[in-house]
Amino acid sequence: MNGQPVGPVGLIGLGTMGRALVEALARAGFAVHAADPLDPAPDAPDGVTVHAGIGELAAALQPPRRILTMVTAGDPVDAVIDALKPACATGDLLIDGGNSFFRDTVRREAALASDGIGFLGVGISGGEEGARNGASVMAGGTDEAFAAAEDVLTAIAAAHDGAPCCAHVGPGGAGHFVKMVHNGIEYALMQAIAEAHFLLHAGNGLSHDKVAAIFRDWNEGPLESYLLGIAAAVLETPDPDTGAPLLDRLDDRAGESGTGRWIVSEAMALGVTVPSIMEAVAARNISGQSEIRTALREEGCSGSVIAPDDVRAALTGCTVAAFAQGLSVIAAAAARDGWEPDFADIARIWRKGCIVQGAYLRDIEAAFARATGLPHLLMDKKISATVAEAVPGWRATASAALSAGLPAPVISASLGWYDSLRTGRLWTALVQAQRDYFGRHGLRRTDRDGVFHADWKKSL
């Protein structure tokens, strides 16, 4: 934009992400006004006018105002909206760029609409680096609200193949819903990579540096991804005090921000199975049970139990599983709520700037471009062939881990999910029968319509 002002924009919340975004907007030529609800006198980034409070910021902008909020999800967002409303006018637009729960976004949009104020719920992925240098931007709201904010959102978006990684993914809370799913996929991918390292290091006895070299080799091929690259970098990082691997000095208890739990809960409500994501969330939870883990501690076996090529195959399978499960949750929510996601476009905007970016998204984008009504990612022939090729090594990895007593919950659960989808007749006929036996819940038959009960032989 040649450094020329292209219009004013406000931003509230100068934490890590907010500060990076105001710098990006200023570089793009916007006249940026900022404030922080927790700090009345924050440092002013270059090219940004900083105000002492929210009211002062709003007064400095002429209607129709466009104000982006980057504050902690939950009550802080409502507090900022409450502080802004008295200063806002009909036609103003508020943009929530935090990790808000999508149902809160729907509620806020409806409440502000009654006052003639527009609202967009925008998922922004990429962390501090993405905020500063280009993020993946998932917007949800009305067409009119997106049109009013599009120049701001594309200015903070990464670019891939000459197009901004920004899209209007749907109405209402769709933007935050898609971001929630992105984060769930992120959980699964991170855990699968961690399990791959664990099996090669704890199982095969390979040093962190050797596993890093393996990851870097994999990162030159179909598994190339931001997460695999940073995993290799972590493994190569020494402790500045001792020179030993820094990873060995780190606590193994991992936290989570809540978006993982949100997607698991939503998936269950929608009747969509997401075991890869669910086990990744559970893995973080069990890591926090340090006292129980210490009391029950018993190390698994080690000593060249798993071939690296098999582990690579398992990681390939888990990657497809994570994306297939996440996209199925979006499809089910869209069908319930009456919006039409463009999965090729979602895959496209995840190609650059976000945490799940990787080469595999090229094939996912192509799969949905070939068949816009594709019911399930595994029903694409190319994707299906990729997974089928990985299955022998994936199965060998899961089997070896189980035999060695080495936990690999996402690798194992993802394989079980895949096998379940490919099994013609499952165990659930017996489950259905047991439910009718003890609770008269009814039976569905394959040879006639309707709900039936059986006269079970009472053997107890």
Side-chain angles (χ1 to χ4, degrees), residues 1 7 58 94 190 209 234 253 260 277 289 335 375 378 382 397 443:
M1 299 180 187
L94 304 185
M190 291 174 70
D209 281 342
V234 166
R253 290 174 293 181
I277 298 169
Q289 298 177 325
L378 286 178
K382 184 173 181 179
T397 299
L443 300 164

Side-chain angles (χ1 to χ4, degrees), residues 31-341:
V32 184
H33 296 257
D36 193 298
L38 302 179
D39 186 354
D43 294 335
D46 290 343
V48 177
T49 302
V50 175
H51 299 274
I54 293 173
E56 183 180 306
L57 178 147
L61 298 172
Q62 294 298 313
R65 301 173 180 88
R66 299 182 298 176
I67 302 175
L68 172 63
T69 64
M70 294 299 299
V71 298
T72 304
D75 291 341
V77 179
D78 289 317
V80 168
I81 291 173
D82 288 343
L84 279 170
K85 279 179 65 176
C88 285
T90 298
D92 287 352
L93 175 65
L94 304 185
I95 308 163
D96 176 13
N99 265 342
S100 290
F101 185 45
F102 77 98
R103 294 191 188 280
D104 288 338
T105 302
V106 172
R107 169 179 58 81
R108 290 165 184 149
E109 182 188 40
L112 288 166
S114 64
D115 294 318
I117 301 169
F119 189 75
L120 275 179
V122 180
I124 301 174
S125 176
E128 181 181 5
E129 181 181 342
R132 179 166 286 110
N133 300 313
S136 176
V137 181
M138 299 149 262
T142 65
D143 292 339
E144 294 78 13
F146 179 72
E150 188 171 7
D151 61 333
V152 174
L153 299 180
T154 55
I156 64 174
H160 178 72
D161 287 345
C165 293
C166 170
H168 181 206
V169 297
H176 280 137
F177 193 95
V178 171
K179 175 64 189 320
M180 175 189 72
V181 170
H182 165 283
N183 285 15
I185 295 169
E186 174 188 312
Y187 273 60
L189 297 179
M190 291 174 70
Q191 178 65 25
I193 291 169
E195 290 175 17
H197 164 261
F198 179 72
L199 296 178
L200 294 171
H201 175 64
N204 288 14
L206 298 182
S207 69
H208 297 314
D209 281 342
K210 288 184 178 178
V211 178
I214 290 171
F215 281 3
R216 292 202 181 281
D217 178 60
W218 294 354
N219 215 33
E220 296 296 320
L223 279 175
E224 179 275 322
S225 72
Y226 171 75
L227 285 171
L228 192 59
I230 66 171
V234 166
L235 296 175
E236 293 171 338
T237 301
D239 178 6
D241 297 325
T242 65
L246 180 57
L247 188 66
D248 290 340
R249 299 292 186 268
L250 301 184
D251 192 341
D252 68 350
R253 290 174 293 181
E256 54 110 358
S257 62
T259 50
R261 283 178 280 125
W262 292 348
I263 183 177
V264 170
S265 177
E266 288 302 313
M268 292 180 70
L270 290 163
V272 180
T273 54
V274 291
S276 304
I277 298 169
M278 184 166 62
E279 288 297 338
V281 175
R284 296 198 192 184
N285 292 338
I286 203 169
S287 77
Q289 298 177 325
S290 54
E291 292 183 4
I292 297 173
R293 290 169 51 220
T294 298
L296 298 177
R297 181 171 180 172
E298 182 179 337
E299 299 292 349
C301 302
S302 62
S304 300
V305 294
I306 305 170
D309 281 349
D310 288 342
V311 178
R312 177 176 58 185
L315 189 54
T316 298
C318 289
T319 297
V320 175
F323 277 98
Q325 291 166 27
L327 296 177
S328 292
V329 175
I330 295 174
R336 177 193 64 193
D337 297 335
W339 50 286
E340 297 182 2

Side-chain angles (χ1 to χ4, degrees), residues 351-368:
R351 293 284 299 277
K352 192 78 176 288
C354 73
I355 305 301
V356 303
Q357 63 181 289
Y360 30 73
L361 280 160
R362 176 186 58 230
D363 292 338
I364 294 173
E365 179 184 358
F368 286 102

Side-chain angles (χ1 to χ4, degrees), residues 14-33:
L14 289 172
T16 301
M17 288 284 286
R19 181 168 291 272
L21 286 173
V22 294
E23 293 173 1
L25 287 167
R27 286 198 309 272
F30 286 88
V32 184
H33 296 257

